[in-house]
């Protein structure tokens, strides 16, 4: 099973940017569809973005469209989430997730999850 470790979270002012990384070990990510989710205190987990194993297709949650970009570098076994124009409402723990079923697109079931990284946006 693939192990995922997120990094890059932190404290940023509203309007600023952060780039999250998700590094994988145990398996190569090149055949995994990948996603990012987030969960704010007291709220349900929310889908943020997903990218196909090839990088050739991606989709986003409505709340982040036009501000966030998901990308991947299969040679580095890493997936990224570039977050621009951050808003207070983007404050959450961000989780990376992987789906080993490369043919399942859009992804319906992410089987592997990281531990999360905290993103806090201040005013």
């Amino acid at each position: 099973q693939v192990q995922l470790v997120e990094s890059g979270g932190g404290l940023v002012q509203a309007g600023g940017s952060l780039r999250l990384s998700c590094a994988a070990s145990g398996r190569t990510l090149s055949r995994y569809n990948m996603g990012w989710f987030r969960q704010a205190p007291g709220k349900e987990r929310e889908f943020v973005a997903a990218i196909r194993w090839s990088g050739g297709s991606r989709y986003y949650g409505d709340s982040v469209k036009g501000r966030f970009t998901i990308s991947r570098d299969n040679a580095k076994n890493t997936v990224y989430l570039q977050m621009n124009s951050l808003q207070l409402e983007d404050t959450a723990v961000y989780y990376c997730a992987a789906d080993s079923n490369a043919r399942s697109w859009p992804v319906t079931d992410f089987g592997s999850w990281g531990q999360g990284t905290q993103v806090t946006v201040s005013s």
Side-chain angles (χ1 to χ4, degrees):
Q1 190 173 2
V2 65
Q3 287 81 47
L4 304 172
V5 178
E6 302 93 336
S7 62
L11 176 64
V12 62
Q13 285 192 325
S17 299
L18 277 177
R19 188 176 82 155
L20 305 183
S21 299
C22 172
S25 61
R27 293 283 192 276
T28 176
L29 281 187
S30 61
R31 292 297 178 178
Y32 283 76
N33 296 325
M34 300 296 295
W36 286 96
F37 290 76
R38 66 187 184 185
Q39 188 165 20
K43 294 188 177 181
E44 292 188 354
R45 187 172 61 195
E46 177 188 14
F47 168 76
V48 174
I51 186 167
R52 202 161 188 181
W53 63 271
S54 63
S57 182
R58 61 198 77 185
Y59 58 97
Y60 298 90
D62 289 340
S63 62
V64 305
K65 281 180 182 176
R67 299 188 299 122
F68 290 11
T69 302
I70 188 171
S71 62
R72 65 191 299 158
D73 186 337
N74 286 341
K76 294 183 177 180
N77 236 24
T78 302
V79 177
Y80 304 97
L81 184 68
Q82 178 67 43
M83 306 185 295
N84 298 329
S85 302
L86 282 162
Q87 303 168 357
L88 298 179
E89 307 81 68
D90 296 318
T91 295
V93 177
Y94 284 71
Y95 298 91
C96 176
D99 174 29
S100 61
N101 185 359
R103 292 176 291 181
S104 175
W105 188 259
V107 181
T108 58
D109 182 22
F110 287 93
S112 299
W113 294 81
Q115 294 298 308
T117 185
Q118 176 71 47
V119 172
T120 303
V121 183
S122 64
S123 59

